[in-house]
Amino acid sequence: MDKILEGLVSSSHPLPLKRVIVRRVVESAETPLSQAQCRAMFALSTRLVLQGPDPFQRQVGRQVLEAYGRYHRAEFEAFFNRGLVLGLLQRGYGELSNRDPAILDYIQAGLRLIMSCPSVLELFELLQVEALRLVCERPAPPLCARLCQLLGDFPQCLPRGRKLSLAFCQQLVRSIAHFQSQGSREAELRLYVSQVTQVSGLLRSVWKAEPDTLLPSLQELFAVISAADTSFEPSVALASLVQHIPLQMITVLIRSLTTDPNVKDASMTQALCRMIDWLSWPLAQHVETWVIALLKGLAAVQKFTILIDVTLLKIELVFNRLWFPLVRPGALAVLSHMLLSFQHSPEAFHLIVPHVVSLVHSFKRDGLPSSTAFLMQLTELIHCMMYHYSGFPELYEPILEAVKDMPKPTEEKIKLILSQSAWTSQSSSLPSCLSRLSGKSETGKTGLINLGNTCYMNSVIQALFMATDFRRHVLSLNLNGCNSLMRKLQHLFAFLAHTQREAYAPRIFFEASRPPWFTPRSQQDCSEYLRFLLDRLHEEERTLKALSSTKTSESIMNEESQKQEAVHKAQVFAEAPCMGSEERTLIEKMFGGKLKTTICCLNCKSMSQKEEAFTDLSLAFCPPTSLENVGPKCVERSEVKDDYVVQTNTSATSPAGETLLNNLEVNGGCDTIMNEGTIKDFSTEPNSENTTNSELNKVQDNRDMSQRLVGKNTLSVTDLLNYFLAPEILSGDNKYYCEKCASLQNAEKTMQIIEEPEYLILTLLRFSYDPKCHIRRKILDNVSLPLVLELPVKRATSSLAVVSGGWSVGVEISDIGENLAKKLKPSGADEVTCPQLVPYVLSSVVVHSGVSSESGHYYSYARNVTGSGPSGLCHQSTALSLVSPQDKLLTEESPCTVVENELDTEMPREWFLFNDSRVTFTSFQSVQKITSRFPKDTAYVLFYKKQNSTCGFNTNSANGLWVNGDPPLQKDLMDAITKDNKLYLQEQELSARTQALQAASASCSFRPNGFDDNDPPGSCGPTGGGGGGGFSTVGRLVF
């Protein structure tokens, strides 16, 4: 039986067949077997469990071991003896190390099977000794957690006797001090925290069962954290032990520590500093209670030197913990006590003063009841400190302005709090979107105030505003008397362009543009918001035009009134002179393109074509394994028959009334990969009547391209666009239903861009759905952003015109015009694909900072890119050439790569960083390096501007001179901006006079915040915007 099983699991039979046979082998465990047969089965199952090369074999080993061990218990007892267990713990099993957690898994499974056998007592005694030996060897968190799980399930294996039990607890404390997290991602941190919790839980059980071990364990803990050895820093995981110490022991322990003459000041300082560091541990309870008790104990014995040193060293760290929801209550309690007790000097308070305003503003914007409760406690503390350390108006005035709307405690209450040197009550943890504020930007650009997790809107609006041609079209529209969304966007753009305020609050536009399903004050997907916004603007303009047309047709007007109506209609949503169709909306003109999808049956060669409009292309991340397995492209499922009904050699154009905004996503981010055999089965059937050598060669070419993508260290936007446009073989379970063949056939699917947009929007599909955790996880892969991107556009032209030289090679087809192209095409002439590389220049980058779509922060990089662009940009790329589709895909060596550095160095301060209210200068190098410097900050939405475009506005238009190329504003908009600017100047003047009157009493200055280049731009708070509280915040804490 063992030989059969061994041959089966290692065979190449299908997995379902293997499972059926394994089930029968397990069921046959009830039949009598000889001792030799049982031993052979036990040996085989042990080998499969410990050395199985794949999960299936290890699972089979566990099933067989459990079944045969249960029905042949005596034989298994003889097999699972002291020698086997000791050998596993000391020498391992074959190539498997004795420190592998799988060894303990196997031993625990064996103990369950022989629990009722006498020999189990001998194994318990053995494990008592081996458990102590293991913890003395400082096991890693996975092994230590697995050992504690075994000891928790079988407490008979815990070391017995006071001496051994005490040694075990002390050594386990030392082991926890050596724990270090093996990664920084959320899943890795979750696992690490669970392992630490498993170990500390065992210690709690031992302390409860044997109380005599508690005090020596705590003494060992203090010895570890008070050590002055700089080469070893104890793990913050020791904080997990604090919650298991009975609070009734605080008084005794603190008195013992603070009065012990053997405890030196340096050791106490070191221990207290490390206990304060424990505030960052997410699941520890009562850490703040022990820290405050120790601070009070030191004050009681008048060890003020330690208190001063620790306060000045750690006050800023404690304040920074207020940004983290999980630890905010404890941090506020410790901060309150440290500040209120430090009454001899303002030094400690002034260390945190520069950071108070940003925290207060952030929680005021949040607006939640829990935010108000927290701000009330923080405001009360700040008022107490400013009352006690008066005489610094230049420091406190920004704070007073920030908290002016919050209740102010009475003077009697302030005096009572200060006299008691007490800390305020703890606040509730709360989610928030925390963004830093700064003075007026020297960039001349205006920021957008975060209205409460609205960074997703702010980043998109700034990117659209920096799309120069789009902004100019919006500002030039005549929308008087119209209350449309476009009118509100025009109002917002006008204030961003002309206000003198450092930041503008887009409340009206936010309420008008927020999708109905978006929850207010919660983080949202900026890409989803952008698509909704463009769709709303597009549909709104179409509706207005339709109403205007209907009104015209139904009313009887004379010739003069008809002319006036035409003039009025032309004024609303003015169109650029370069566009062909007057019925296109502004969104279609700026962001609309067309994509043609072609499916060719590889049997009958019939073709099905469909054209689709798009405003953005969603580029999927395909896992390297799927690229290697499926060749050209991974396929999620086949829905070909429904989408492509007409079999013809001409394109089936979408109806004119079809909604423009089709978000073209490929494979849903490749979360679901088709079976490995899909392409393999097709390519390994040379005798198939549906397969030719040319198709096989094409599949191999595509696989070679996929492998080139896999071999690269860092993906680029070029790679993702290559994958988007790569031909796709439909075979296997994804075969295409050909109506001409009346059967499922292998087919090739290709996608071609046949009309390019003025602004190309690319969305990187970074969020994939995790069905286990029911969240959208984020793909944190770095993607290189080319400054110059060449988009392959394959327009349909007349073959006769190309052959006869009717068009010169250097002429762009888009410049000829659609009508002229139709006239030049002779009747019945076949279409010839003429690929052309259209150059685009990077205009804006929206960055997401965080680890999931439900949390994080958005900010954007942008620059002004006009229609003409830098001179001499890729002039050779406009030439037409007839080559294969693969050859015209974006290549690794773009002919415009040489221009990138020149473009970025021409104007070194042309790039801006828009981070809510804050706008700063930056560089393209900062854009490229953002993910390498801050791994959670990744490019998400990209705006590229087409170069050599002729649809830009004429800056010397008939209605007046345009400032900086922008059109003059309408009177009502200019009046509103002028009124607001006057009010802002009055506010500034009043503030300046107040500061001048109070400047004489100022006696010192404070330290500035420092430069932003040292901090990640993404700062919807370290909690990541709408991430809120809960366990997900553990991914943003520092261990």
Side-chain angles (χ1 to χ4, degrees):
M1 183 68 73
D2 60 300
K3 298 296 183 184
I4 297 176
L5 181 62
E6 184 176 10
L8 173 69
V9 296
S10 60
S11 66
S12 60
H13 293 296
L15 195 60
L17 176 61
K18 291 183 181 181
R19 294 186 188 277
V20 172
I21 300 177
V22 168
R23 191 183 310 118
R24 294 183 179 178
V25 171
V26 171
E27 293 172 354
S28 66
E30 303 179 18
T31 60
L33 294 176
S34 65
Q35 186 174 1
Q37 290 176 322
C38 287
R39 186 173 184 85
M41 291 297 291
F42 294 145
L44 173 61
S45 58
T46 299
R47 185 167 70 253
L48 291 177
V49 169
L50 297 178
Q51 292 186 321
D54 55 65
F56 171 72
Q57 293 194 25
R58 293 191 291 271
Q59 181 185 11
V60 170
R62 286 190 291 269
Q63 292 177 350
V64 173
L65 181 69
E66 183 179 354
Y68 281 80
R70 184 169 62 250
Y71 290 106
H72 304 277
R73 200 174 302 274
E75 289 80 1
F76 182 72
E77 182 182 7
F79 174 80
F80 192 74
N81 53 30
R82 176 187 176 91
L84 175 65
V85 175
L86 185 62
L88 290 174
L89 291 174
Q90 293 186 354
R91 298 184 299 274
Y93 186 86
E95 297 180 356
L96 191 67
S97 169
N98 65 327
R99 299 178 71 85
D100 194 298
I103 295 290
L104 297 178
D105 288 338
Y106 175 79
I107 292 176
Q108 185 170 358
L111 289 176
R112 289 197 187 99
L113 292 174
I114 64 169
M115 270 298 293
S116 59
C117 300
S119 62
V120 74
L121 299 177
E122 182 182 11
L123 295 182
F124 286 159
E125 294 178 0
L126 171 66
L127 288 172
Q128 290 173 9
V129 178
E130 289 299 310
L132 181 57
R133 180 186 63 82
L134 273 176
V135 296
C136 290
E137 295 177 354
R138 306 289 178 260
L143 179 61
C144 194
R146 192 62 191 86
L147 174 64
C148 291
Q149 183 180 351
L150 187 150
L151 298 177
D153 293 343
F154 296 96
Q156 303 92 330
C157 300
L158 283 167
R160 298 296 176 182
R162 186 180 186 280
K163 186 176 180 180
L164 290 179
S165 182
L166 181 57
F168 176 78
C169 291
Q170 291 175 326
Q171 293 301 321
L172 200 53
V173 170
R174 290 276 178 180
S175 296
I176 296 176
H178 284 79
F179 282 2
Q180 298 296 334
S181 175
Q182 300 300 315
S184 59
R185 296 193 177 187
E186 182 177 345
E188 296 168 330
L189 294 177
R190 285 175 180 270
L191 179 62
Y192 174 63
V193 171
S194 66
Q195 292 166 350
V196 173
T197 304
Q198 183 81 39
V199 178
S200 64
L202 179 67
L203 263 177
R204 176 181 177 275
S205 301
V206 176
W207 290 343
K208 189 174 182 179
E210 301 184 41
D212 291 344
T213 61
L214 176 57
L215 189 56
S217 299
L218 297 181
Q219 291 172 344
E220 190 73 19
L221 173 62
F222 184 79
V224 171
I225 64 175
S226 63
D229 183 9
T230 57
S231 62
F232 171 67
E233 183 64 27
S235 172
V236 184
L238 288 170
S240 62
L241 300 178
V242 175
Q243 59 189 327
H244 302 313
I245 305 174
L247 293 178
Q248 299 87 335
M249 299 183 65
I250 285 184
T251 303
V252 176
L253 291 176
I254 296 301
R255 185 182 296 116
S256 174
L257 282 175
T258 55
T259 58
D260 188 348
N262 296 320
V263 179
K264 304 301 181 183
D265 286 0
S267 299
M268 181 62 72
T269 302
Q270 188 73 269
L272 186 53
C273 287
R274 285 168 173 162
M275 289 178 65
I276 292 175
D277 291 340
W278 291 353
L279 290 172
S280 64
W281 186 256
L283 300 183
Q285 300 175 6
H286 310 310
V287 172
E288 71 280 1
T289 305
W290 285 93
V291 170
I292 293 171
L294 186 53
L295 290 172
K296 288 182 176 180
L298 291 170
V301 296
Q302 300 183 4
K303 293 188 177 181
F304 300 121
T305 302
I306 298 176
L307 292 172
I308 293 173
D309 292 343
V310 171
T311 302
L312 295 179
L313 280 172
K314 294 297 181 180
I315 190 72
E316 289 179 284
L317 182 142
V318 175
F319 183 85
N320 288 334
R321 290 294 175 264
L322 298 178
W323 299 89
F324 297 87
L326 282 179
V327 299
R328 186 176 296 125
L332 180 59
V334 174
L335 178 71
S336 299
H337 180 82
M338 295 175 77
L339 287 177
L340 291 171
S341 61
F342 199 91
Q343 297 190 16
H344 67 282
S345 167
E347 186 176 4
F349 178 54
H350 287 179
L351 286 176
I352 70 166
V353 162
H355 314 297
V356 170
V357 174
S358 60
L359 187 67
V360 171
H361 275 297
S362 301
F363 282 94
K364 285 180 68 177
R365 286 195 303 270
D366 189 26
L368 297 176
S370 55
S371 303
T372 304
F374 170 76
L375 281 178
M376 288 180 64
Q377 297 175 65
L378 181 62
T379 302
E380 186 175 85
L381 173 63
I382 297 301
H383 275 298
C384 289
M385 302 312 299
M386 291 189 297
Y387 176 88
H388 187 65
Y389 300 120
S390 59
F392 301 93
E394 78 284 1
L395 295 182
Y396 301 155
E397 193 168 76
I399 299 178
L400 287 172
E401 180 68 19
V403 300
K404 64 181 180 181
D405 298 329
M406 302 299 297
K408 181 180 179 181
T410 62
E411 185 175 357
E412 290 75 16
K413 185 175 183 179
I414 292 176
K415 290 180 178 179
L416 178 63
I417 293 174
L418 290 172
S419 64
Q420 293 177 342
S421 298
W423 47 277
T424 58
S425 57
Q426 298 181 13
S427 66
S428 303
S429 63
L430 62 156
S432 65
C433 184
L434 310 176
S435 59
R436 297 170 300 184
L437 299 179
S438 65
K440 186 173 179 62
S441 171
E442 62 175 346
T443 63
K445 301 296 182 182
T446 305
L448 287 172
I449 295 176
N450 194 315
L451 305 175
N453 283 331
T454 57
C455 53
Y456 66 91
M457 176 190 73
N458 291 349
S459 58
V460 166
I461 293 301
Q462 294 287 17
L464 290 174
F465 178 81
M466 294 298 287
T468 307
D469 289 346
F470 176 65
R471 178 181 73 247
R472 292 174 179 174
H473 277 79
V474 171
L475 292 176
S476 66
L477 297 176
N478 184 6
L479 300 173
N480 287 333
C482 179
N483 193 30
S484 63
L485 182 61
M486 182 65 79
R487 169 67 174 178
K488 294 179 174 62
L489 180 63
Q490 184 185 59
H491 185 274
L492 176 57
F493 277 6
F495 267 80
L496 286 177
H498 298 284
T499 185
Q500 294 187 15
R501 296 184 181 273
E502 62 268 23
Y504 178 77
R507 292 185 179 87
I508 296 177
F509 185 80
F510 171 69
E511 292 300 328
S513 65
R514 177 175 60 85
W517 60 89
F518 275 19
T519 305
R521 298 192 176 277
S522 64
Q523 189 59 281
Q524 305 293 344
D525 189 335
C526 77
S527 175
E528 185 180 3
Y529 173 81
L530 173 60
R531 285 194 293 271
F532 177 83
L533 175 61
L534 296 182
D535 187 46
R536 276 279 308 276
L537 294 172
H538 164 73
E539 292 296 332
E540 185 181 77
E541 183 178 352
R542 281 205 326 180
T543 302
L544 290 176
K545 287 184 175 182
L547 291 175
S548 176
S549 176
T550 303
K551 194 174 185 179
T552 303
S553 62
E554 291 179 350
S555 60
I556 302 176
M557 298 179 295
N558 55 31
E559 183 178 355
E560 182 177 354
S561 63
Q562 291 178 358
K563 290 181 180 180
Q564 293 176 353
E565 179 69 19
V567 170
H568 174 71
K569 185 176 180 181
Q571 288 178 346
V572 178
F573 294 103
E575 297 175 359
C578 71
M579 307 310 294
S581 173
E582 293 184 353
E583 295 303 319
R584 299 181 70 194
T585 66
L586 177 59
I587 301 303
E588 286 177 309
K589 292 184 226 175
M590 291 290 102
F591 305 103
K594 283 188 179 180
L595 191 77
K596 181 171 71 175
T597 305
T598 304
I599 295 184
C600 176
C601 175
L602 297 181
N603 181 41
C604 66
K605 305 303 180 183
S606 63
M607 297 178 63
S608 171
Q609 295 182 343
K610 181 181 180 181
E611 291 185 7
E612 296 176 282
F614 69 88
T615 53
D616 72 306
L617 299 179
S618 295
L619 306 183
F621 287 74
C622 203
T625 54
S626 65
L627 283 174
E628 294 170 346
N629 292 335
V630 306
K633 190 179 291 186
C634 55
V635 182
E636 180 174 332
R637 62 187 180 273
S638 177
E639 296 180 352
V640 180
K641 181 179 177 181
D642 296 335
D643 290 342
Y644 302 93
V645 179
V646 182
Q647 299 265 338
T648 177
N649 290 330
T650 60
S651 61
T653 307
S654 303
E658 185 176 335
T659 301
L660 166 71
L661 299 177
N662 293 324
N663 177 30
L664 300 174
E665 299 182 7
V666 178
N667 308 325
C670 292
D671 293 331
T672 306
I673 308 301
M674 72 178 184
N675 296 332
E676 296 181 9
T678 302
I679 295 299
K680 187 181 299 182
D681 296 340
F682 169 59
S683 60
T684 54
E685 295 179 358
N687 297 325
S688 173
E689 62 181 3
N690 298 331
T691 309
T692 63
N693 291 332
S694 61
E695 277 79 36
L696 290 174
N697 293 334
K698 184 175 293 186
V699 173
Q700 184 61 42
D701 292 340
N702 293 330
R703 183 178 287 109
D704 292 341
M705 184 196 71
S706 302
Q707 305 217 350
R708 288 200 303 271
L709 298 184
V710 174
K712 292 188 60 180
N713 294 327
T714 302
L715 287 174
S716 68
V717 175
T718 301
D719 296 329
L720 300 185
L721 198 51
N722 277 340
Y723 177 72
F724 181 90
L725 297 173
E728 184 175 345
I729 300 300
L730 306 176
S731 61
D733 294 338
N734 300 289
K735 284 187 176 181
Y736 164 68
Y737 183 83
C738 177
E739 292 189 353
K740 184 175 181 180
C741 300
S743 61
L744 293 173
Q745 297 291 336
N746 294 323
E748 183 185 60
K749 177 182 176 181
T750 57
M751 302 178 73
Q752 299 175 354
I753 298 173
I754 59 174
E755 183 177 324
E756 74 276 14
E758 286 298 318
Y759 285 93
L760 175 65
I761 303 177
L762 301 176
T763 301
L764 310 187
L765 296 178
R766 289 192 172 275
F767 301 110
S768 59
Y769 182 73
D770 186 346
K772 294 183 180 179
C773 301
H774 302 289
I775 62 174
R776 287 204 299 165
R777 296 193 180 277
K778 182 179 178 182
I779 301 173
L780 295 172
D781 295 352
N782 190 11
V783 177
S784 175
L785 308 178
L787 188 61
V788 178
L789 180 71
E790 292 183 322
L791 185 70
V793 180
K794 303 176 182 180
R795 303 182 180 89
T797 62
S798 170
S799 59
L800 180 60
V802 173
V803 173
S804 62
W807 291 347
S808 61
V809 175
V811 176
E812 288 192 22
I813 301 175
S814 59
D815 296 336
I816 301 299
E818 182 180 359
N819 295 330
L820 180 57
K822 290 180 179 179
K823 293 178 182 179
L824 289 175
K825 180 179 178 181
S827 175
D830 295 333
E831 292 185 347
V832 177
T833 301
C834 299
Q836 179 182 1
L837 294 180
V838 179
Y840 282 79
V841 172
L842 185 62
S843 172
S844 302
V845 179
V846 178
V847 176
H848 177 262
S849 175
V851 295
S852 72
S853 61
E854 291 79 15
S855 64
H857 176 59
Y858 290 99
Y859 56 95
S860 54
Y861 293 92
R863 62 172 180 163
N864 287 312
V865 178
T866 58
S868 58
S871 59
L873 175 65
C874 305
H875 58 279
Q876 73 275 25
S877 64
T878 58
L880 300 179
S881 57
L882 302 178
V883 294
S884 64
Q886 282 75 16
D887 292 337
K888 295 308 290 182
L889 287 177
L890 297 176
T891 57
E892 294 298 323
E893 296 183 359
S894 170
C896 291
T897 53
V898 183
V899 188
E900 293 193 6
N901 292 332
E902 297 177 3
L903 288 175
D904 198 43
T905 54
E906 284 180 1
M907 293 181 289
R909 295 166 72 88
E910 69 172 338
W911 281 93
F912 303 95
L913 169 58
F914 297 90
N915 194 348
D916 286 339
S917 301
R918 189 178 183 86
V919 185
T920 55
F921 285 114
T922 186
S923 64
F924 182 66
Q925 285 76 16
S926 298
V927 181
Q928 284 282 39
K929 296 177 181 178
I930 184 66
T931 304
S932 60
R933 292 181 62 194
F934 310 105
K936 295 180 183 178
D937 295 16
T938 53
Y940 185 36
V941 179
L942 313 177
F943 286 69
Y944 278 88
K945 175 67 178 73
K946 186 173 75 170
Q947 288 300 299
N948 303 325
S949 172
T950 59
C951 72
F953 271 98
N954 180 9
T955 57
N956 295 320
S957 59
N959 55 351
L961 181 64
W962 291 15
V963 180
N964 294 326
D966 284 351
L969 297 181
Q970 298 172 21
K971 185 178 184 302
D972 59 335
L973 274 179
M974 183 55 70
D975 290 344
I977 294 174
T978 301
K979 181 179 179 180
D980 185 74
N981 283 341
K982 287 181 179 180
L983 178 61
Y984 174 72
L985 291 176
Q986 293 172 357
E987 295 170 356
Q988 293 295 99
E989 182 179 0
L990 178 61
S991 177
R993 288 179 179 272
T994 304
Q995 290 182 4
L997 291 174
Q998 297 178 345
S1001 61
S1003 58
C1004 72
S1005 61
F1006 67 101
R1007 301 189 306 172
N1009 281 327
F1011 294 98
D1012 292 318
D1013 290 341
N1014 299 324
D1015 301 320
S1019 59
C1020 232
T1023 60
F1031 200 93
S1032 62
T1033 316
V1034 71
R1036 307 175 187 95
L1037 298 184
V1038 180
F1039 297 118

